[in-house]
Amino acid sequence: MPPPDADQPVRTTGDTTADHRRGPRRRGQELEEAILAATIEELAEVGYARLTMERVAARARTGKATLYRRWPGLAELVVDACAIRDASDADLPDTGALRTDVLAALRLISGQLAGPRGDVLRGLLPEFVRDPDFARAIREKVDTAGPGAIKQALRRGVDRGEIEAWLPDSRRATVAVDLLRNHFLLHGAPIADDVITDIVDDVYLPLLLAPRSGRDTER
Amino acid sequence: MPPPDADQPVRTTGDTTADHRRGPRRRGQELEEAILAATIEELAEVGYARLTMERVAARARTGKATLYRRWPGLAELVVDACAIRDASDADLPDTGALRTDVLAALRLISGQLAGPRGDVLRGLLPEFVRDPDFARAIREKVDTAGPGAIKQALRRGVDRGEIEAWLPDSRRATVAVDLLRNHFLLHGAPIADDVITDIVDDVYLPLLLAPRSGRDTER
Amino acid sequence: MPPPDADQPVRTTGDTTADHRRGPRRRGQELEEAILAATIEELAEVGYARLTMERVAARARTGKATLYRRWPGLAELVVDACAIRDASDADLPDTGALRTDVLAALRLISGQLAGPRGDVLRGLLPEFVRDPDFARAIREKVDTAGPGAIKQALRRGVDRGEIEAWLPDSRRATVAVDLLRNHFLLHGAPIADDVITDIVDDVYLPLLLAPRSGRDTER
Amino acid sequence: MPPPDADQPVRTTGDTTADHRRGPRRRGQELEEAILAATIEELAEVGYARLTMERVAARARTGKATLYRRWPGLAELVVDACAIRDASDADLPDTGALRTDVLAALRLISGQLAGPRGDVLRGLLPEFVRDPDFARAIREKVDTAGPGAIKQALRRGVDRGEIEAWLPDSRRATVAVDLLRNHFLLHGAPIADDVITDIVDDVYLPLLLAPRSGRDTER
DNA sequence: CTCTAAACGAGACGGTACGTCCAGTCTTCGG
DNA sequence: CCGAAGACTGGACGTACCGTCTCGTTTAGAG
């Protein structure tokens, strides 16, 4: 009973194992892109929770060591894979009023969280403990779309005279996005639209219109 | 709560327990408590990320099957284990002013998140996708301490005439806790104290004092 | 999240578990027969290799403890279960000649080995190491049909004057069955008929007709 | 069946690090031999019945996956492990007479069956049902020593004129070994010496001297 | 005809082993 | 010589049974 051993002494031909399914071996850029694409596909198929280095490597038809040489772990790989597809921070149309601009911005963010990116965000949170630098990198990506769109809306509000000029750079500015994100993390997607309107009408707009406290500082 | 050594030689009952073996086999309530205690200990020692059924079973001196008979997976076990240690919603001292009461409440919550419970909270978020019922169970536990303490502070504020009566049950009430939690999830513990004072002075108090919008409803 | 605990402190009613459509509880003889029957059925369905106490108990609608109260282990249970169905050693028809009588006897045994009994025989062999007494018990059952039928055939041969009178009780008598069993153990069932005829014509009959050696003794 | 070796070219024999605690990671040939050795040791220590993949892996200081990558299950592993130590079929001394030659051969086989190989043989029999190919592989190993030694004895007997020339290749030739094996499987080891002499004097020699039946054919 | 002790059924308990999957590391060998 | 491919160590997974034990329920059989 011969074990399924690969090392036959008489290997007459450069056969089987050498059959490259990819002709010339992929390297550098090409290989990296293939890996990131495989990561995205896996992510869409099985979700972040079931994502493994093993499966990504298999789908990319490469070895795990190739992944580890480029990324310290799964989390970092995923961050890169998502970054590639960012493209976001699209300009929001000017709806003519602060309230509707803000609503539009929140709905945009809500939509993004409902996709695999939201899944990833949740999955990455536990990793934040490991490495503060990593955590910061994630936060920057996460916060890309959110504050950008909101800040734009606030600036328009300032221009229209709806709110005071110091607000877009104050601690109050991010409250809407923070609450939205908090709701997503606890309740998941999709986020019901009245949650968004509640945040805007019951909290965010009143807050923006509330008088500046003595302590309130620009940031 | 002292480390509940369930089966120690003390066992007062009539049998002459030299306790060579495990003594009388643990069952039901007693066994369950031993398991939950073991879970807590493991959690404190290695953290949620490194928690395994195998180690919990070993520490509780039982078999994995006994765990799986009671909980579908690690996540549910941990939820139960944390719940047991709630000791929650401890009464906060009346400091005489809304601001200081709120600060005290947030600092209490912040302290809880800095412990293993915060670790657990982060670790559990990815599981929410699996099962909405499970997610709800977690949220209830997570929200135990927070809104309770805050609501108490707000009621005292109403009694003192600092804020209006409808606020403790409005959407605005939870904003401080939501922002705190959001900060914890993104930045981790410990939460710097000026983050807390910023939330209170720049956002929460102004919001509580802001006029009620037409849409604002009690909840 | 209350675990599914059974031991409530206040169990007011003799509830649920008592609703057994199994009217009178079986005991003693009746129960034992039900267990043995269940063993046989399992044996026929899944074979000896996959037989477990757990499944037998479940099929017999009893508890494992009831099995262990009666038999030390699976092997002994199976031995009993097979014994119950022995009934065999059926009289073989007198075909009028030694050769055909012997062939008929071997074919009878071959048929038995092809059924679950053969499966059992193989499965039990490793157990022989454990306990010599157990081994002897098995051997007696195994040898029941074989030597009985063969000896009958030999006696008829003596009566007809075909062979000498000392042969039915000599070491030579069992050779045919021994060879047949050996073939079964190594090659399994079904046993090709020319194996049987080879044994008879090339070995057994020549052996029976060979002159008694000086050393040959009755046994 | 020694697995074909692989790495002649580079592997200089001086390989200092036979110590695999922290030495270079074992692969291919070297690893395989370590596993088979561990199997043999376990076999000798606890016997086939208590042999587990888990323990073999632990003793070989490798993981179970490495075992399963090479062998489908315990049975196949054991077969290979035993095969490696075969080396047998040693030449038997010419004692000058057929009877003593045969006795020597049977005693050799008896000795082998009394060791762990006999244990293994019994343990493997139940597996024969699974896979006929597997069964054949075993039989070949099992029959290695037996017929070889016996056939040698018979050929010498022919040369001396003690028996007829057609016998070494006839069905009668294997009868002694078959009976011995049958006795071992039912009664276990050690095999009493008078069982062997009985087989030889009461059955085998008379059979070899019995006249050829018309049907007797060479094989 | 009670009352009691044993047997029954059900299944939990502390374990062992299964066969699989994956994390990271290390070796080999092709380009 | 670099680096792609993949084998290796190690460990946890969740399941199946083992043989024991506990718990309540029947049911004989003794008083």
Side-chain angles (χ1 to χ4, degrees):
Chain A
M1 175 153 299
D5 195 357
D7 316 278
Q8 295 303 327
V10 187
R11 182 169 287 284
T12 50
T13 63
D15 63 354
T16 55
T17 48
D19 71 348
H20 298 300
R21 41 255 162 180
R22 275 271 169 267
R25 188 183 277 184
R26 296 162 301 169
R27 293 181 154 245
Q29 192 71 18
E30 183 192 357
L31 178 57
E32 193 152 322
E33 280 166 13
I35 293 170
L36 293 175
T39 306
I40 296 290
E41 290 169 36
E42 276 293 305
L43 206 45
E45 252 181 44
V46 305
Y48 184 85
R50 297 189 197 284
L51 200 65
T52 67
M53 289 300 242
E54 197 109 18
R55 293 173 64 100
V56 171
R59 185 186 275 267
R61 300 190 197 196
T62 183
K64 284 188 290 180
T66 303
L67 304 190
Y68 282 106
R69 194 175 302 120
R70 291 158 196 272
W71 297 275
L74 188 54
E76 289 82 359
L77 167 59
V78 171
V79 170
D80 270 17
C82 288
I84 232 174
R85 296 275 174 118
D86 245 345
S88 68
D89 219 354
D91 286 86
L92 284 170
D94 186 337
T95 62
L98 175 61
R99 179 175 183 276
T100 43
D101 271 6
V102 168
L103 282 175
L106 294 190
R107 285 179 184 132
L108 171 70
I109 300 168
S110 167
Q112 291 189 354
L113 292 175
R117 291 192 59 171
D119 203 14
V120 171
L121 172 57
R122 268 187 175 155
L124 289 178
L125 288 183
E127 314 280 352
F128 284 18
V129 178
R130 290 191 330 187
D131 181 2
D133 292 339
F134 173 72
R136 191 176 324 116
I138 299 285
R139 273 197 306 278
E140 280 161 14
K141 291 184 193 302
V142 166
D143 283 347
T144 303
I150 278 285
K151 198 175 265 187
Q152 193 180 17
L154 291 186
R155 291 221 184 84
R156 287 174 185 156
V158 171
D159 293 343
R160 289 188 205 101
E162 292 178 283
I163 55 174
E164 297 179 30
W166 58 275
L167 282 165
D169 295 307
S170 75
R171 175 69 182 83
R172 297 187 188 179
T174 63
V175 165
V177 176
D178 290 342
L179 293 179
L180 186 67
R181 187 189 304 116
N182 176 74
H183 187 275
F184 165 72
L185 291 176
L186 290 192
H187 296 79
I191 300 176
D193 201 65
D194 57 342
V195 169
I196 294 178
T197 53
D198 278 0
I199 289 175
V200 172
D201 292 324
D202 298 353
V203 177
Y204 198 49
L205 290 185
L207 179 64
L208 291 178
L209 298 174
R212 185 175 194 173
S213 84
R215 208 184 154 288
D216 241 330
T217 53
E218 295 196 20
R219 307 171 346 131
Chain B
M1 193 167 179
D5 40 5
D7 37 8
Q8 290 311 315
V10 188
R11 185 153 302 281
T12 51
T13 54
D15 52 355
T16 61
T17 55
D19 218 356
H20 321 302
R21 316 166 188 192
R22 298 290 131 73
R25 193 178 278 183
R26 298 164 298 173
R27 295 172 63 85
Q29 193 71 22
E30 182 190 0
L31 175 58
E32 195 152 312
E33 280 166 13
I35 293 170
L36 294 175
T39 306
I40 295 291
E41 291 168 35
E42 277 292 306
L43 206 44
E45 254 181 42
V46 304
Y48 183 84
R50 297 189 199 284
L51 200 64
T52 68
M53 289 298 241
E54 202 110 18
R55 291 174 63 99
V56 171
R59 186 187 277 265
R61 288 208 239 96
T62 184
K64 283 188 292 178
T66 301
L67 303 191
Y68 283 107
R69 198 177 297 125
R70 290 157 193 274
W71 298 276
L74 191 53
E76 288 83 357
L77 167 59
V78 171
V79 170
D80 269 17
C82 287
I84 229 174
R85 293 283 176 112
D86 247 343
S88 65
D89 229 352
D91 286 86
L92 286 169
D94 187 337
T95 62
L98 175 61
R99 180 174 181 276
T100 43
D101 273 6
V102 169
L103 282 173
L106 293 191
R107 284 177 184 133
L108 170 70
I109 299 169
S110 168
Q112 291 190 354
L113 291 176
R117 290 193 60 171
D119 200 14
V120 170
L121 173 57
R122 268 189 176 153
L124 289 179
L125 288 184
E127 313 278 353
F128 283 17
V129 179
R130 288 190 332 185
D131 181 1
D133 291 338
F134 174 72
R136 191 177 323 116
I138 300 284
R139 274 196 306 276
E140 280 161 14
K141 290 182 194 307
V142 165
D143 284 347
T144 302
I150 279 286
K151 198 175 265 187
Q152 193 181 15
L154 292 185
R155 291 222 185 83
R156 287 174 183 156
V158 172
D159 293 342
R160 291 190 203 99
E162 292 179 282
I163 54 174
E164 297 178 33
W166 59 275
L167 281 164
D169 295 306
S170 74
R171 175 69 182 82
R172 296 186 187 179
T174 63
V175 165
V177 176
D178 290 343
L179 292 179
L180 187 67
R181 188 189 303 118
N182 175 75
H183 188 275
F184 164 72
L185 291 176
L186 290 191
H187 298 79
I191 300 176
D193 201 65
D194 56 342
V195 170
I196 294 178
T197 53
D198 278 0
I199 288 175
V200 172
D201 292 324
D202 297 354
V203 178
Y204 198 49
L205 289 185
L207 179 64
L208 292 177
L209 298 174
R212 185 176 196 173
S213 84
R215 208 183 153 288
D216 241 331
T217 53
E218 296 196 16
R219 313 184 325 148
Chain C
M1 173 161 295
D5 193 358
D7 313 276
Q8 295 305 327
V10 186
R11 180 167 292 280
T12 50
T13 61
D15 61 354
T16 54
T17 50
D19 75 341
H20 278 319
R21 50 209 77 180
R22 223 60 177 131
R25 189 177 278 183
R26 297 161 299 171
R27 309 188 122 235
Q29 192 72 20
E30 183 191 357
L31 177 57
E32 194 151 321
E33 281 166 13
I35 293 171
L36 294 175
T39 307
I40 295 290
E41 291 168 36
E42 277 292 305
L43 207 44
E45 254 181 43
V46 305
Y48 184 85
R50 298 189 197 282
L51 200 65
T52 68
M53 290 299 241
E54 203 112 17
R55 293 173 64 100
V56 171
R59 185 187 277 266
R61 300 193 197 186
T62 185
K64 283 189 291 179
T66 302
L67 303 191
Y68 282 105
R69 199 176 297 125
R70 290 157 195 273
W71 297 276
L74 190 53
E76 288 82 358
L77 167 58
V78 171
V79 170
D80 270 17
C82 288
I84 228 176
R85 294 279 173 114
D86 246 346
S88 68
D89 218 354
D91 287 86
L92 286 170
D94 186 337
T95 62
L98 175 61
R99 180 175 183 274
T100 43
D101 273 6
V102 169
L103 282 174
L106 293 190
R107 284 178 184 134
L108 170 71
I109 299 169
S110 167
Q112 291 189 353
L113 291 175
R117 290 192 59 172
D119 201 14
V120 170
L121 173 56
R122 268 189 174 154
L124 289 178
L125 288 184
E127 313 279 354
F128 283 17
V129 179
R130 288 188 333 185
D131 181 1
D133 292 339
F134 173 72
R136 191 177 322 117
I138 300 284
R139 274 197 305 276
E140 279 161 13
K141 290 183 195 303
V142 166
D143 284 348
T144 301
I150 279 285
K151 198 175 267 188
Q152 193 180 14
L154 292 185
R155 291 219 185 86
R156 286 174 185 155
V158 171
D159 292 344
R160 288 190 205 101
E162 292 179 282
I163 55 174
E164 297 178 31
W166 58 275
L167 282 164
D169 296 304
S170 75
R171 176 71 183 82
R172 297 186 188 179
T174 63
V175 166
V177 176
D178 291 342
L179 293 178
L180 186 67
R181 187 190 303 117
N182 176 75
H183 188 275
F184 165 73
L185 290 175
L186 290 192
H187 297 80
I191 301 175
D193 199 65
D194 56 342
V195 169
I196 295 178
T197 53
D198 278 1
I199 289 175
V200 172
D201 292 324
D202 297 354
V203 177
Y204 199 50
L205 290 185
L207 179 64
L208 291 178
L209 298 174
R212 187 175 193 173
S213 84
R215 205 183 158 289
D216 241 331
T217 52
E218 297 196 18
R219 310 175 338 136
Chain D
M1 179 183 288
D5 88 309
D7 30 21
Q8 308 94 337
V10 190
R11 178 66 65 183
T12 55
T13 52
D15 205 3
T16 54
T17 49
D19 173 24
H20 43 265
R21 288 174 216 170
R22 280 283 171 252
R25 192 177 280 185
R26 298 161 297 168
R27 295 172 63 85
Q29 191 72 18
E30 183 189 357
L31 176 58
E32 195 153 311
E33 280 166 13
I35 293 171
L36 294 175
T39 306
I40 295 291
E41 290 169 35
E42 276 293 305
L43 207 45
E45 254 182 42
V46 305
Y48 183 84
R50 295 189 200 283
L51 199 65
T52 68
M53 289 298 240
E54 203 111 18
R55 292 174 63 99
V56 171
R59 186 187 277 265
R61 299 185 205 215
T62 183
K64 282 189 290 179
T66 301
L67 303 191
Y68 283 106
R69 198 177 298 125
R70 290 157 193 276
W71 297 276
L74 191 53
E76 288 84 358
L77 167 59
V78 171
V79 170
D80 268 17
C82 289
I84 230 175
R85 296 280 173 113
D86 244 345
S88 67
D89 221 353
D91 286 86
L92 286 170
D94 186 338
T95 62
L98 175 61
R99 179 174 182 275
T100 43
D101 273 5
V102 168
L103 281 173
L106 293 191
R107 283 179 185 131
L108 171 70
I109 299 169
S110 168
Q112 291 190 352
L113 292 176
R117 290 193 60 173
D119 202 14
V120 170
L121 173 57
R122 268 188 175 154
L124 289 179
L125 288 184
E127 313 279 353
F128 283 17
V129 179
R130 287 189 334 185
D131 181 359
D133 291 339
F134 174 72
R136 189 175 325 114
I138 300 285
R139 272 196 308 276
E140 281 161 12
K141 291 182 193 305
V142 165
D143 284 346
T144 302
I150 279 285
K151 199 175 264 187
Q152 194 180 14
L154 291 185
R155 289 219 186 87
R156 287 174 184 155
V158 171
D159 293 343
R160 290 188 205 101
E162 292 179 281
I163 54 174
E164 298 179 30
W166 58 275
L167 282 165
D169 295 304
S170 74
R171 175 73 182 80
R172 296 185 188 179
T174 63
V175 165
V177 176
D178 291 343
L179 292 179
L180 186 68
R181 188 191 302 119
N182 176 74
H183 188 274
F184 164 72
L185 290 175
L186 290 191
H187 297 80
I191 300 176
D193 200 66
D194 56 342
V195 170
I196 294 178
T197 53
D198 279 0
I199 289 176
V200 172
D201 292 324
D202 297 354
V203 177
Y204 198 49
L205 290 185
L207 179 63
L208 292 178
L209 298 175
R212 185 175 196 174
S213 84
R215 206 180 157 289
D216 241 331
T217 52
E218 296 195 18
R219 312 186 324 147

